[in-house]
């Protein structure tokens, strides 16, 4: 009879945080501009939506406006994802229109948290753009070094918003060690074994609560499967 002990050990290995960390250090060398948008269930607009000029403004606004905003995975800028059906501005804005200004403050490239703070303050006007959001942006580059091999250095190019795990694997660089190369969850954020040390995280997607819990407070560590 075949012993089940090896199988149980592999399953246990996948359920706990590995003591060994991937030897690769990933350093983004340019700001990554993500174009992947979150979708929400509030994109309620009339079927016969009016046409809009490339840039337009709403003045003398009364709050709450009922206008819903979201952001990209880079958490930079804001765009409209919907308007409450009862809002007086239902026909005044368009889906996916980009927020350019709050009063006279240019917010097109500001962090989303800062934009939300401004939207929660007293303002009277919004300036928006109806032009399509950019679909082509310069490739991002990553500089990868190995902690195990000081002579190893790779500079990779990838599409903005790409999964760090997928970029590494497609360039024959594994974020896994030993048996986890075979027992990992294939990028489903279940095993916690695709850990890399990221030197500069300013241009990457934010850590989720689940990711922070898995990494147990190690600030520079990221799960490459959910980092983009």
């Amino acid at each position: 009879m075949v012993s089940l002990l090896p199988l149980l050990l592999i399953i246990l290995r996948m359920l706990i945080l590995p003591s060994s960390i991937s030897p690769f250090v990933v350093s983004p060398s340019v700001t990554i501009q993500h174009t992947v948008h979150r979708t929400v269930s509030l994109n309620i607009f009339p079927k016969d939506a009016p046409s809009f000029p490339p840039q337009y403004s709403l003045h003398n606004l009364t709050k709450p406006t009922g206008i819903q905003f979201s952001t990209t995975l880079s958490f930079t800028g804001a765009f409209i994802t919907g308007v409450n059906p009862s809002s007086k501005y239902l026909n005044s804005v368009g889906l996916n229109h980009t927020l350019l200004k709050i009063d006279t403050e240019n917010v097109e490239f500001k962090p989303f948290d800062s934009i939300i703070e401004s939207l929660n303050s007293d303002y009277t006007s919004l300036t928006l753009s109806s032009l399509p959001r950019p679909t082509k942006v310069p490739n991002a580059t990553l500089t990868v070094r190995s902690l195990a091999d000081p002579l190893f250095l790779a500079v990779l190019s990838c599409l903005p918003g790409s999964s760090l795990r997928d970029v590494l694997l497609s360039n024959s660089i594994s974020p896994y060690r030993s048996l986890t190369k075979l027992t990992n969850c294939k990028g489903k954020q279940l095993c916690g074994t695709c850990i890399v040390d990221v030197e500069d995280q300013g241009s990457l997607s934010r850590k989720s609560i689940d990711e922070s819990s898995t990494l147990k407070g190690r600030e520079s560590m990221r799960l490459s499967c959910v980092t983009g």
Side-chain angles (χ1 to χ4, degrees):
M1 181 176 179
V2 179
S3 174
L4 295 178
L5 181 58
L7 178 60
L8 291 175
L9 289 175
I10 292 176
I11 294 175
L12 181 61
R13 183 75 172 87
M14 294 179 65
L15 292 177
I16 62 175
L17 182 69
S19 57
S20 59
I21 296 173
S22 173
F24 292 105
V25 179
V26 182
S27 176
S29 57
V30 298
T31 299
I32 299 176
Q33 298 179 344
H34 300 274
T35 57
V36 179
H37 297 168
R38 295 177 178 180
T39 57
V40 297
S41 59
L42 294 171
N43 49 348
I44 302 170
F45 285 88
K47 292 182 179 179
D48 299 323
S51 59
F52 294 89
Q55 184 172 314
Y56 62 98
S57 297
L58 305 178
H59 297 286
N60 301 317
L61 294 170
T62 57
K63 297 173 64 176
T65 63
I67 301 173
Q68 309 292 326
F69 290 96
S70 187
T71 188
T72 64
L73 290 178
S74 66
F75 281 81
T76 302
F79 59 93
I80 295 175
T81 53
V83 180
N84 291 338
S86 59
S87 170
K88 62 186 294 185
Y89 304 108
L90 179 62
N91 295 306
S92 301
V93 295
L95 181 65
N96 287 330
H97 287 189
T98 303
L99 180 61
L100 301 179
K101 292 182 179 180
I102 300 175
D103 287 335
T104 59
E105 179 189 11
N106 192 326
V107 298
E108 185 176 6
F109 300 108
K110 293 196 68 172
F112 188 62
D113 287 350
S114 177
I115 293 175
I116 292 300
E117 289 181 7
S118 296
L119 289 172
N120 288 331
S121 65
D122 293 328
Y123 65 90
T124 59
S125 69
L126 298 176
T127 301
L128 300 111
S129 171
S130 63
L131 297 177
R133 297 179 65 81
T135 56
K136 291 185 178 181
V137 295
N139 276 5
T141 59
L142 301 173
T143 302
V144 183
R145 295 186 291 106
S146 172
L147 298 177
D149 182 3
L151 298 179
F152 179 89
L153 177 67
V155 179
L156 312 179
S157 178
C158 62
L159 292 175
S162 300
S163 160
L164 184 53
R165 171 189 178 272
D166 294 345
V167 172
L168 293 174
L169 289 176
S170 65
N171 286 275
S172 301
I173 301 174
S174 178
Y176 304 104
R177 301 190 72 177
S178 63
L179 285 178
T180 62
K181 293 180 179 180
L182 301 175
T183 61
N184 67 81
C185 66
K186 312 300 181 185
K188 298 181 176 63
Q189 198 184 354
L190 298 175
C191 65
T193 61
C194 61
I195 302 174
V196 293
D197 187 6
V198 181
E199 292 182 337
D200 177 10
Q201 301 190 34
S203 58
L204 298 178
S205 55
R206 292 187 177 186
K207 277 185 183 179
S208 67
I209 295 176
D210 288 342
E211 184 182 3
S212 296
S213 176
T214 300
L215 297 172
K216 298 181 179 179
R218 287 185 266 189
E219 294 298 329
S220 66
M221 304 301 177
R222 296 298 304 266
L223 295 178
S224 59
C225 65
V226 292
T227 301

